[in-house]
Amino acid sequence: MIESSDRRQLSDLAIFPLPDAVLLPGALLPLHVFEQRYRDMVRDVLADDRLLGIARLRPGYEADYYGRPPVYDTCGVGVIVADEALDDGRYNILVRGLGRARIEEELAVATSYRRVRARVLPDGRSRRPEVVSATFDQLIALCGRLADAIGDDAEPLCDLMSHAASPAACADLLGAALMRDPDERQRLLETLDPADRLEAVLARVSHLLAKVGPSNTMLN
């Protein structure tokens, strides 16, 4: 969750634009930072509040990759929870997702990397509260079946479910773990109603459960 003290920092937030990376709340994202502009960014962020926006680049970014190609308006906001500075100036960092944000304006800055003004997109009350409870119960039941199907490899899945603070948070954690397609992950990031989010993850778990064969290895 993005705390009130962090929200003030979103008025001037460093962003890391990446082609296929989507940071969902609660998820961990390891990154290897090698471009000079993003080395500068990590150095500055580590010296400040450690907050960072992970913004997915829109299709066609290649033509202006070294400039300021368009990014999706909805980005993940995270905190760098671990960092390693390498001898040649590169970094390895681990970012934990705190929440969603909407990019409202790109700032004109002198830094080599991009900074934006953003606002938090909080989890509100669902338009369909009755669906949240029912879908969450279905999700728990299907995840139990999926865990049984994959056997010893299910422990991380069970841990995710047990550590979720709410049904909406559970949907984010399961989506981060089970959704591999960047478009699917971006759609989940943009889905604000918890009921809609739970239904999307339920559909993914149902799809995976249908694919699990005798070898229990078809979680793609």
Side-chain angles (χ1 to χ4, degrees):
M1 177 183 297
I2 302 175
E3 303 294 342
S4 57
S5 59
D6 296 331
R7 296 185 185 205
R8 291 192 295 272
Q9 307 303 321
L10 299 191
S11 63
D12 187 0
L13 177 70
I15 60 167
F16 197 170
L18 293 166
D20 290 321
V22 178
L23 179 65
L24 288 159
L28 292 172
L29 179 64
L31 294 169
H32 177 65
V33 183
F34 56 90
E35 287 188 44
Q36 185 59 54
R37 54 181 169 169
Y38 299 127
R39 296 185 196 184
D40 297 342
M41 177 194 68
V42 170
R43 180 199 63 218
D44 292 349
V45 166
L46 290 175
D48 192 10
D49 52 22
R50 305 177 76 93
L51 285 182
L52 182 63
I54 303 297
R56 186 181 173 212
L57 289 162
R58 289 186 178 274
Y61 67 88
E62 296 90 347
D64 190 31
Y65 176 74
Y66 293 102
R68 296 175 181 266
V71 297
Y72 285 87
D73 294 337
T74 302
C75 70
V77 177
V79 59
I80 299 177
V81 294
D83 60 276
E84 177 190 18
L86 304 179
D87 291 341
D88 61 0
R90 293 174 297 139
Y91 286 92
N92 291 320
I93 60 174
L94 183 65
V95 183
R96 178 170 60 84
L98 296 178
R100 296 165 167 80
R102 175 71 49 80
I103 296 174
E104 298 194 320
E105 178 188 11
E106 181 151 355
L107 303 176
V109 292
T111 57
S112 58
Y113 54 91
R114 301 165 69 176
R115 303 187 72 95
V116 301
R117 177 173 60 83
R119 63 178 174 86
V120 176
L121 295 174
D123 278 336
R125 291 182 59 83
S126 174
R127 295 176 289 102
R128 301 178 295 152
E130 72 287 351
V131 174
V132 171
S133 178
T135 307
F136 185 55
D137 289 343
Q138 294 178 58
L139 184 59
I140 294 298
L142 280 192
C143 282
R145 290 174 54 191
L146 184 61
D148 289 341
I150 61 180
D152 293 340
D153 294 331
E155 186 175 349
L157 180 65
C158 297
D159 285 345
L160 286 176
M161 296 169 60
S162 65
H163 285 91
S166 67
C170 184
D172 283 332
L173 289 171
L174 288 174
L178 301 177
M179 292 177 171
R180 295 287 180 254
D181 180 71
D183 290 335
E184 190 177 20
R185 292 167 68 91
Q186 183 68 37
R187 285 193 296 270
L188 191 69
L189 184 69
E190 295 173 358
T191 301
L192 302 185
D193 190 308
D196 297 340
R197 202 181 307 156
L198 284 161
E199 287 179 335
V201 176
L202 180 66
R204 180 59 178 161
V205 173
S206 299
H207 174 75
L208 290 174
L209 189 59
K211 288 183 68 176
V212 172
S215 63
N216 298 335
T217 60
M218 298 179 63
L219 295 182
N220 296 310

